[in-house]
C-alpha cells in the first residue's frame, strides 16, 4: 500500500480522532491538506478498467481545496471564506496573545461503519422498533448488574398526576420546512422557589406559544401560575431561561432569552409575581441569544451576566405559522423569523458572527456591557452556553465558552480586571460541536472535572446505534471545520488535575449519540455524581435515547437509562406525530408532497432537549424533568426513597458579603472516608441555570461529618457534624467579624 | 430574485472568464494546458453543472449545462467550483477521498487531475449527516473524445438550473437586526 492510498482510506473512511502522525503531516486542513501533498495518488475502483502503465483509475490530487477556500482572483464572493479561514489559521495566536503548541491527539484506529439513510416516516406507516432497543435493554441490565453501581431504582411517568399540561411547540423551520438551522436546538427548563414557600417551581420555555411557570404544590403536583406571574412571553420566540437573584433581595429573578425581539429580565416581587425590569437594567439584547449564566466575576457581591449568543441564523423575513404543526385547521396565529438554510455553516461567514456579551452588575439592578473592556470582544464562538469554572483554582471564576461550530474557548479571569484567552494552552483539544457542560468531581478526589456534550459532531455521520459509544470518524472538510482537524468529535470529560485537564471521555464511557445538555446530580445517592443527558434529533434521524451515566465510584460511567426506566419512553413508543401537509392544498409545493397527494401526516423520532434533576415530590431522591421537542415534557419520579438505604442532604447557601445565591462557592462534604466537592454554579441542564439547593448523596453513611464552604470571597466556613441524613442544611455566610 | 441571487450570477460569470478548457475542439487535438473549470451549484438537493463549451472558456454563450452527474475528461487538470443557492452541501467522492463543501457565495474550489476513465459514486449530503436520498449520482471520468462528444450533446441553455433557482427563496442573513428593531439606522 503506497502512502497515498493509506492516507486516502484514512481520509475517506469514517474515523474518530485523528492519528497524530497524520495530523502533523496533513494538518492544518484535515482532508483538504491531503489534496496538496505532492505525489498523493489514490487507488480507487478495483473494478475499473486497467491501463497498461498504472493502476486502474487514478485521480491525482494536485491542488489544495484548502481552508483558504481556494478563492480565485476576481471572485467577489470569497471574503467570508477568507475571513473565517484566517480565524482558523490563527487559532494558536489570536485574541489574548495565546501561543501554544498543541500536542497530538490520541491514536484511534479507523474503521468502516454502516450509515443510515433518512427516515421518511408517516404516522400511518411507522416501522417496528429496531432490534437494538430490546437488545440494549437486556445488555444494559447485565452490565449494570456486573458493575455493582446502584441502579435498583425506577423512574416512573408522573406527568398526568403532576398537573402539568403545557407542551413545547416548535417553529415550522423545525418541521415541514425542514431547514438546517438552530431552531431545532429547542429550549430549556429551569427551577427555583419563586414564591418562597419552600417548594421548587418549574419554568418551561417554548419557541411557539407561551412559556409556562408552574408553582410547586408539594408531592409532585403543580399549578400553572404563568398568567398571574406575567412571564408567558407568548409574543416572541423564546430560547431558554435562568433563575438567579440579581438584586440580592432573597428571591429568584428570571432572565429569558429570545430571538431578535429582545431578551427579558423579570424581577421577582416576591410571592411569585414578576415585573419586567429589562429596560431599567440596561439589558434586552436583540439577537440570537441562548443561555444566560449568572456569576460574580469580580467578587463585588453582585451577580454578573454572561449571555451566550449563537450567531445569525435567521433571515430578514418573518412568516406566519400555526402553533400546532399537526393540525391543518390551526390558524396562522404567530410569526417567526425564518431561519437560514445554511446556518450550520454560519461560522464560515464573518458577517454572521455575534459576539457573546458580558454584563457587569453595577448594583441596584443595573447592568453595563463590559464585553470589549474585559477582553472578550473578539471571541469567535458560535455559543449556546458557557460553563463558569475556576479552572486554575485561583478563586476567580473563569469562562469555558462552548462553541457549537468550532473549538471551545477558555478565558482566564485576571482577578476580575480582564479575561485572557488561554484556550489551547489549557484545553489542547475540545469538542467541535459543544452543546452543554457541567462540573463534577468524578472520582471524589477534590478536583472538579468538566463534562462537555457535543451534538454537532454527530451531524457528520448518520451511523447505526451500535456506534453510539464511539466518536464520529467521518468529518467535514476543513473549509467547514476550520479547526485544522484539531478537535474532539464527540463528548469530552476533562479530568482535572491541579489546573491541567485531560480528556478521558472514551476511557470513562462518556460518549453517546446526539446529546444536548446535561444535568449533573447523584440520582442513586451513592456519593458520586451522575450525568443525565438529553438526546435525539427527531426529524429524519433515527431514535437516539436519552442517556443516564451512573458514576461507578469514579471508575467510569455505566449506561443505565434502560435499566432504570428513563428509556424507552413512558408509553414505549419511539415515534410521534410531527406535522401534517395538505398536498392538494397550500402545501402542494412542499418537498414533503413530492409524489404525494391529499393529507399526509409525518412522524419523527422522540427527542429531548431541556433537563432538570429536582426532587419534585420532596421524598429525598432526585426526579427527572425532561423538556421534549414539540411535545409535552416528561415528568419522571424516582422510587429510590422507597427502597431503603437512602442517605442524603440538601444544602442551601445564602451569601451576605458574597452574592445572595452564593454562586461561585465551592462546597465540600466530608462523610466518613469520603469527601465530595461541589461547584455551586447554578448550572442545571441544557442551556439553563436554576436556583436550587445542592443535593448530596451520602451513600452508606447516615450522617455527614462536616461541611466546608469556600465562599466567592475566599473565606472558608465550616459546619461541624454530625449532620443527619435528610437534613435540609441552610448555611448563611458569616461576615469577617463573626 | 433575491439580492443574493442577483449577486451570485454576475460573480459567477466574472469568475469563469479566466480559465482555458479545450484548445481546439474541432481539430480534436486533445485537452489544452491549464485546468478544465467546471462549476457545480447545489439547488434544492440537486447538482446543476456548468461546463465550458468547445471554446474552452467558462462564462461564454458556448457554455453547456447538465444536472446530477458530473462529467470530466481524463488526463486533464480540473478545477471544480462549488456553490449553492440554499443549503450547504457536501461534494463527496468516497472512493478517492474527495470532499469539499458548497456553501452559498463562499467560492470554494476543488482541484484535481484525472488519469483514467471511471464512474465514481458521488454523494451529496447536507450538513445534518443525511445524504440526499434515493438518487444515484456519479462523477464520470470519460476519455477526452467521449467527453467532447458528450459536451456537444449538452444544452447550451441553463433552463433547468434557472427554473430550480427561481424556486429558491434564499434568505439574506439578517445581520443588522438589532439596529432595525431598535429603530436605528441599518
Amino acid at each position: 500500500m503506497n502512502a497515498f492510498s493509506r492516507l486516502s482510506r484514512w481520509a475517506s473512511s469514517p474515523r474518530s480522532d485523528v492519528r497524530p502522525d497524520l495530523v502533523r503531516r496533513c494538518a492544518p486542513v484535515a482532508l483538504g491538506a491531503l489534496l496538496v501533498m505532492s505525489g498523493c495518488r489514490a487507488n480507487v475502483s478495483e473494478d475499473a478498467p486497467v491501463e497498461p502503465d498504472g493502476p486502474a483509475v487514478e485521480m491525482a490530487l494536485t491542488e489544495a481545496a484548502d481552508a483558504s477556500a481556494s478563492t480565485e482572483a476576481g471572485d467577489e464572493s470569497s471574503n467570508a471564506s477568507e475571513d473565517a479561514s484566517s480565524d482558523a489559521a490563527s487559532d494558536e495566536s489570536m485574541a489574548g496573545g495565546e501561543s501554544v503548541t498543541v500536542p497530538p491527539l490520541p491514536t484511534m484506529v479507523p474503521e468502516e461503519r454502516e450509515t443510515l439513510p433518512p427516515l421518511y416516516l408517516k404516522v400511518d406507516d411507522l416501522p417496528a422498533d429496531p432490534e437494538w432497543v430490546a437488545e440494549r435493554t437486556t445488555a444494559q441490565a447485565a452490565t449494570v448488574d456486573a458493575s455493582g453501581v446502584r441502579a435498583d431504582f425506577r423512574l416512573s411517568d408522573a406527568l398526568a398526576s403532576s398537573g402539568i399540561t403545557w407542551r413545547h411547540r416548535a417553529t415550522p423551520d423545525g418541521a415541514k420546512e425542514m431547514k438546517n438551522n438552530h431552531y431545532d436546538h429547542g429550549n430549556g427548563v429551569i427551577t427555583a422557589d419563586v414564591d418562597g414557600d419552600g417548594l421548587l417551581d418549574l419554568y418551561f420555555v417554548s419557541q411557539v406559544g407561551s412559556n409556562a411557570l408552574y408553582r410547586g404544590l408539594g408531592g409532585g403536583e403543580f399549578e400553572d401560575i404563568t398568567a398571574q406571574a406575567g412571564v408567558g412571553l407568548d409574543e416572541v420566540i423564546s430560547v431558554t431561561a435562568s433563575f438567579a437573584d440579581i438584586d440580592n433581595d432573597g428571591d429568584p429573578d428570571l432572565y429569558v432569552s429570545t430571538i431578535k425581539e429582545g431578551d427579558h429580565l423579570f424581577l421577582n416581587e416576591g410571592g411569585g409575581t414578576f415585573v419586567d425590569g429589562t429596560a431599567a437594567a440596561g439589558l434586552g439584547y436583540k439577537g440570537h441569544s441562548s443561555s444566560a449564566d449568572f456569576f460574580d466575576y469580580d467578587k463585588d457581591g453582585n451577580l454578573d451576566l454572561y449571555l451566550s449568543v449563537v450567531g445569525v441564523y435567521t433571515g430578514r423575513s418573518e412568516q406566519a405559522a400555526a402553533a400546532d404543526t399537526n393540525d391543518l385547521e390551526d390558524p396562522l396565529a404567530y410569526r417567526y423569523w425564518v431561519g437560514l438554510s445554511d446556518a450550520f455553516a454560519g461560522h464560515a461567514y464573518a458577517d454572521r458572527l455575534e459576539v457573546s456579551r458580558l454584563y457587569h452588575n453595577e448594583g441596584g439592578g443595573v447592568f453595563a456591557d463590559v464585553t470589549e473592556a474585559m477582553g472578550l470582544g473578539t471571541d469567535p464562538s458560535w455559543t449556546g452556553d458557557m460553563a463558569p469554572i475556576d479552572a486554575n483554582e485561583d478563586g476567580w471564576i473563569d469562562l469555558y465558552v462552548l462553541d457549537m461550530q468550532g473549538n471551545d474557548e477558555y478565558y482566564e479571569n485576571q482577578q476580575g480586571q480582564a479575561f485572557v484567552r488561554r484556550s489551547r494552552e489549557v484545553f489542547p483539544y475540545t469538542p467541535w460541536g459543544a452543546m452543554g457542560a457541567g462540573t463534577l468531581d468524578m472520582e471524589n478526589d477534590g478536583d472538579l472535572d468538566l463534562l462537555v456534550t457535543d451534538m454537532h459532531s454527530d451531524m457528520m455521520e448518520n451511523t447505526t446505534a451500535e456506534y453510539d459509544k464511539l466518536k464520529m470518524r467521518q468529518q467535514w472538510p476543513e473549509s467547514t471545520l476550520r479547526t485544522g482537524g484539531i478537535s474532539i468529535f464527540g463528548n469530552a470529560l476533562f479530568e482535572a488535575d491541579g489546573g491541567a485537564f485531560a480528556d478521558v471521555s472514551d476511557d470513562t464511557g462518556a460518549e453517546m449519540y446526539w446529546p444536548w445538555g446535561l444535568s449533573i446530580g447523584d440520582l442513586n445517592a451513592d456519593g458520586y455524581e451522575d450525568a443525565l443527558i438529553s438526546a435525539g434529533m427527531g426529524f429524519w434521524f433515527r431514535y437516539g435515547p436519552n442517556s443516564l451515566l451512573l458514576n461507578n465510584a469514579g471508575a467510569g460511567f455505566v449506561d443505565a437509562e434502560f435499566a432504570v426506566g428513563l428509556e424507552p419512553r413512558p408509553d414505549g413508543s419511539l415515534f410521534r406525530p410531527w406535522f401534517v401537509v395538505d398536498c392538494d392544498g397550500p402545501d402542494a409545493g412542499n418537498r414533503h408532497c413530492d409524489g404525494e397527494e391529499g393529507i399526509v401526516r409525518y412522524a419523527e423520532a422522540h427527542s429531548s432537549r431541556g433537563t432538570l434533576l429536582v426532587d419534585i415530590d420532596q421524598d429525598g431522591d432526585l426526579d427527572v424533568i425532561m423538556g421534549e421537542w414539540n411535545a409535552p415534557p416528561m415528568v419522571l419520579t424516582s422510587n429510590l426513597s422507597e427502597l431503603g438505604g437512602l442517605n442524603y442532604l440538601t444544602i442551601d447557601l445564602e451569601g451576605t458579603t458574597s452574592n445572595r445565591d452564593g454562586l461561585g462557592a465551592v462546597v465540600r462534604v466530608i462523610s466518613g472516608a469520603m469527601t465530595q466537592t461541589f461547584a455551586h454554579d447554578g448550572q442545571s441542564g441544557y442551556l439553563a441555570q436554576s436556583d436550587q439547593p445542592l443535593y448530596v448523596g451520602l451513600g452508606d453513611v447516615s450522617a455527614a461529618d462536616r461541611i466546608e464552604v469556600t465562599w466567592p470571597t475566599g473565606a472558608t466556613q465550616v459546619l461541624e457534624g454530625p449532620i443527619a441524613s435528610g437534613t435540609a442544611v441552610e448555611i448563611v455566610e458569616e461576615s469577617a467579624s463573626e | 430574485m433575491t439580492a443574493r441571487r442577483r449577486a451570485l450570477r454576475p460573480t459567477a460569470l466574472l469568475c469563469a472568464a479566466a480559465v482555458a478548457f479545450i484548445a481546439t475542439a474541432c481539430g480534436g487535438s486533445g485537452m489544452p494546458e491549464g485546468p478544465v473549470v467546471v462549476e457545480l451549484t447545489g439547488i434544492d438537493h440537486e447538482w446543476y453543472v456548468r461546463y465550458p463549451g468547445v471554446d474552452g472558456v467558462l462564462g461564454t454563450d458556448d457554455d453547456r449545462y447538465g444536472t446530477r452527474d458530473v462529467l470530466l475528461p481524463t488526463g486533464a487538470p480540473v478545477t471544480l467550483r462549488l456553490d449553492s443557492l440554499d443549503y450547504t452541501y457536501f461534494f463527496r467522492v468516497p472512493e478517492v477521498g474527495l470532499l469539499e463543501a458548497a456553501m452559498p457565495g463562499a467560492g470554494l474550489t476543488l482541484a484535481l487531475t484525472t488519469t483514467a476513465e471511471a464512474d465514481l459514486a458521488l454523494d451529496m449530503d447536507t450538513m445534518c449527516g443525511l445524504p440526499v436520498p434515493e438518487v444515484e449520482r456519479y462523477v464520470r471520468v470519460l476519455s477526452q473524445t467521449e467527453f467532447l462528444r458528450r459536451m456537444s450533446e449538452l444544452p447550451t441553455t441553463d433552463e433547468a438550473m434557472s427554473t430550480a433557482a427561481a424556486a429558491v427563496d434564499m434568505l439574506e442573513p439578517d445581520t443588522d437586526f438589532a439596529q432595525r428593531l431598535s429603530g436605528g439606522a441599518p
Side-chain angles (χ1 to χ4, degrees), chain B residues 90 121 163:
Chain B
F90 289 119
T163 300

Coordinates of all heavy atoms in Angstrom, one line a residue, chain B residues 90 121 163:
Chain B
F90 N -22.3 18.9 0.7 CA -21.0 18.4 0.6 C -20.9 17.6 -0.7 O -21.8 16.8 -1.0 CB -20.7 17.5 1.8 CG -20.5 18.3 3.1 CD1 -21.3 18.1 4.1 CD2 -19.5 19.2 3.1 CE1 -21.2 18.8 5.3 CE2 -19.4 20.0 4.3 CZ -20.2 19.8 5.4
A121 N -19.0 7.0 -7.7 CA -20.2 7.4 -7.0 C -20.0 8.8 -6.3 O -19.0 9.0 -5.7 CB -20.5 6.4 -5.9
T163 N -34.8 27.4 -13.7 CA -36.1 27.0 -13.1 C -35.9 26.6 -11.6 O -36.7 27.1 -10.7 CB -36.7 25.8 -13.8 OG1 -36.9 26.2 -15.2 CG2 -38.0 25.4 -13.2

